[in-house]
């Protein structure tokens, strides 16, 4: 029996030990290479685009020879105004790509020896970098599976039986329950969205699935409208999960990973952050057969290309 890729040595090309053994200078050089790959890591001014700059080595900054603008390797990126060492940023990325079901922020803060809120914001910035690969704006093609799964909104029952309410009724709901609607190409990309109702997936399919594609869905009545635009295979999960190639097992695999991430690691997620975790899980699912060293370099490259985060820059300061 052939060995699974994730159990092989080929899947392990980066470790925390190697990152910290290489040191701060090597980590800094990695960020430079990912920020300016066209020039081999040599600085390019983000203001005027001139490719010659003075190096201010004592502060790890550059000064453009043309416009005299001072900048660093993270200026204008998602890691702008960072205070952590580059080796710690690279270690955080390594931890997140190695954790196939996610990692709690308490654990990440302990691993990096930083405050909980620092780990929380850093992880969400990394998830934003991952999301640039998930939501590319390209429509899904080939055979696409669609389904939805509900998360959050748990209502804790009262201690005494006589005080317990019917939690199925809307007036007893918390209003925090959301559905993650996912469309997934077989052997391809996963595209998740967060909504109030699974029926919203029909409109999302109209916007994000090619008209030349075929689709698979379960027997929920709101998916009947998909037949007006695509040939759709339907499977009744009450009777069978896979019927001679008709199934939604690929998208269910994504939901399994996301549910294990939220319930097993985070034990609950706020509705306004659920899309971040869905994108994180989709990125991990789409890259599950890639070695962890390559995954870390992909995330660093995405972070160096991503602009300053408008959602997470000064996140805690705004709350104050």
């Amino acid at each position: 029996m052939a060995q699974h890729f994730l159990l092989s040595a080929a899947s392990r090309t980066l470790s925390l030990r190697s990152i910290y053994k290489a040191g701060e200078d090597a980590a800094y050089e990695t960020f430079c290479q990912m920020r300016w790959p066209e020039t081999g890591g040599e600085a390019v001014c983000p203001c005027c685009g001139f490719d010659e700059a003075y190096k201010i080595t004592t502060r790890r900054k550059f000064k453009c020879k043309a416009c005299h603008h001072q900048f660093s390797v993270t200026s204008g990126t998602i890691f702008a105004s960072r205070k952590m060492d580059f080796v710690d940023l690279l270690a955080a990325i390594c931890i997140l790509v190695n954790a196939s079901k996610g990692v709690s922020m308490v654990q990440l803060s302990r691993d990096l020896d930083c405050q909980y809120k620092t780990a929380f914001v850093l992880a969400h910035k990394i998830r934003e970098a991952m999301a640039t690969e998930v939501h590319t704006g390209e429509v899904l093609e080939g055979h696409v599976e669609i389904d939805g799964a509900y998360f959050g909104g748990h209502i804790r029952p009262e201690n005494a039986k006589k005080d317990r309410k019917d939690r199925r009724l809307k007036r007893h709901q918390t209003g925090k329950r959301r559905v993650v609607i996912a469309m997934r190409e077989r052997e391809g990309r996963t595209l998740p969205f967060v909504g109030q109702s699974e029926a919203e997936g029909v409109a999302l399919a109209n916007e994000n699935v090619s008209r030349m594609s075929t689709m698979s869905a379960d027997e929920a009545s709101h998916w009947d409208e998909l037949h007006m635009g695509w040939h759709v295979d339907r499977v009744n999960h009450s009777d069978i999960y896979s019927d001679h190639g008709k199934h939604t097992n690929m998208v269910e695999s994504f939901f399994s990973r996301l549910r294990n991430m939220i319930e097993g690691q985070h034990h609950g997620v706020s509705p306004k952050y659920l899309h971040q975790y869905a994108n994180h899980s989709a990125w991990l699912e789409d890259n599950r057969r890639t070695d962890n060293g390559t995954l870390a370099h992909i995330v660093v490259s995405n972070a160096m290309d991503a602009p300053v985060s408008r959602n997470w820059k000064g996140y805690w300061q705004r709350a104050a």
Side-chain angles (χ1 to χ4, degrees):
M1 182 177 177
Q3 187 183 39
H4 193 283
F5 171 74
L6 296 180
L7 302 178
S8 67
S11 69
R12 305 186 305 272
T13 57
L14 182 67
S15 67
L16 287 175
R17 178 187 177 188
S18 62
I19 290 173
Y20 281 105
K21 188 175 181 179
E24 176 73 3
D25 291 338
Y28 174 69
E29 185 61 29
T30 298
F31 277 85
C32 289
Q33 292 285 347
M34 294 297 102
R35 177 72 190 272
W36 301 298
E38 300 86 358
T39 59
E42 294 298 322
V44 177
C45 179
C47 284
C48 66
F50 194 62
D51 60 356
E52 291 186 20
Y54 302 105
K55 291 183 179 179
I56 308 175
T57 55
T58 55
R59 299 167 57 201
R60 280 213 169 95
K61 283 195 170 186
F62 304 95
K63 184 175 181 179
C64 178
K65 291 185 177 181
C67 68
H68 306 295
H69 173 69
Q70 290 191 18
F71 59 96
S72 69
V73 65
T74 57
S75 293
T77 72
I78 208 165
F79 290 139
S81 304
R82 56 97 207 167
K83 295 181 178 66
M84 298 183 72
D85 292 337
F86 288 100
V87 69
D88 289 330
L89 291 177
L90 195 56
I93 291 172
C94 178
I95 291 171
L96 260 69
V97 301
N98 281 345
S100 60
K101 302 295 190 300
V103 61
S104 73
M105 295 304 97
V106 170
Q107 180 178 336
L108 183 62
S109 67
R110 289 173 176 175
D111 289 341
L112 298 179
D113 190 21
C114 64
Q115 293 185 47
Y116 173 88
K117 61 183 182 181
T118 301
F120 182 82
V121 172
L122 175 60
H124 276 295
K125 286 182 177 181
I126 295 173
R127 291 186 184 104
E128 274 198 8
M130 292 176 175
T132 59
E133 276 192 86
V134 177
H135 292 272
T136 61
E138 299 177 2
V139 296
L140 301 178
E141 298 180 340
H143 192 84
V144 179
E145 299 177 7
I146 186 169
D147 203 357
Y150 285 86
F151 295 87
H154 173 71
I155 304 169
R156 186 175 180 179
E158 297 291 342
N159 179 46
K161 184 176 180 180
K162 62 181 179 64
D163 297 328
R164 293 175 189 167
K165 304 176 179 65
D166 187 347
R167 292 180 287 174
R168 295 170 297 178
L169 299 179
K170 187 175 181 179
R171 65 175 179 271
H172 297 150
Q173 300 294 316
T174 64
K176 296 182 179 180
R177 190 167 175 82
R178 297 290 185 274
V179 60
V180 175
I181 303 162
M183 293 164 280
R184 186 173 188 186
E185 298 171 337
R186 287 189 181 168
E187 307 300 328
R189 294 171 49 218
T190 306
L191 192 58
F193 296 90
V194 175
Q196 297 279 354
S197 169
E198 191 179 61
E200 297 174 21
V202 175
L204 293 171
N206 285 325
E207 296 175 1
N208 296 284
V209 180
S210 169
R211 290 296 179 179
M212 303 300 292
S213 298
T214 55
M215 300 188 72
S216 289
D218 59 26
E219 287 289 337
S221 60
H222 47 256
W223 299 132
D224 294 345
E225 296 182 30
L226 294 176
H227 290 275
M228 293 187 291
W230 298 272
H231 172 74
V232 186
D233 293 334
R234 307 292 289 274
V235 57
N236 188 347
H237 287 163
S238 299
D239 298 329
I240 195 170
Y241 289 111
S242 179
D243 183 15
H244 299 89
K246 298 179 181 179
H247 62 80
T248 57
N249 290 347
M250 298 296 291
V251 73
E252 292 290 354
S253 176
F254 160 74
F255 286 133
S256 176
R257 185 188 295 267
L258 179 59
R259 201 173 298 281
N260 287 334
M261 176 185 290
I262 292 176
E263 296 180 359
Q265 288 290 342
H266 304 292
H267 308 300
V269 169
S270 170
K272 66 179 180 179
Y273 301 139
L274 180 57
H275 68 284
Q276 294 266 64
Y277 295 93
N279 291 334
H280 182 188
S281 184
W283 187 87
L284 290 173
E285 188 72 11
D286 293 348
N287 293 284
R288 64 194 184 282
R289 297 302 179 98
T290 306
D291 65 273
N292 64 341
T294 301
L295 292 180
H297 280 80
I298 290 173
V299 175
V300 174
S301 180
N302 291 346
M304 293 295 95
D305 287 337
V308 176
S309 174
R310 295 306 171 191
N311 293 322
W312 296 101
K313 179 184 178 183
Y315 176 80
W316 299 99
Q317 290 84 347
R318 284 203 304 274

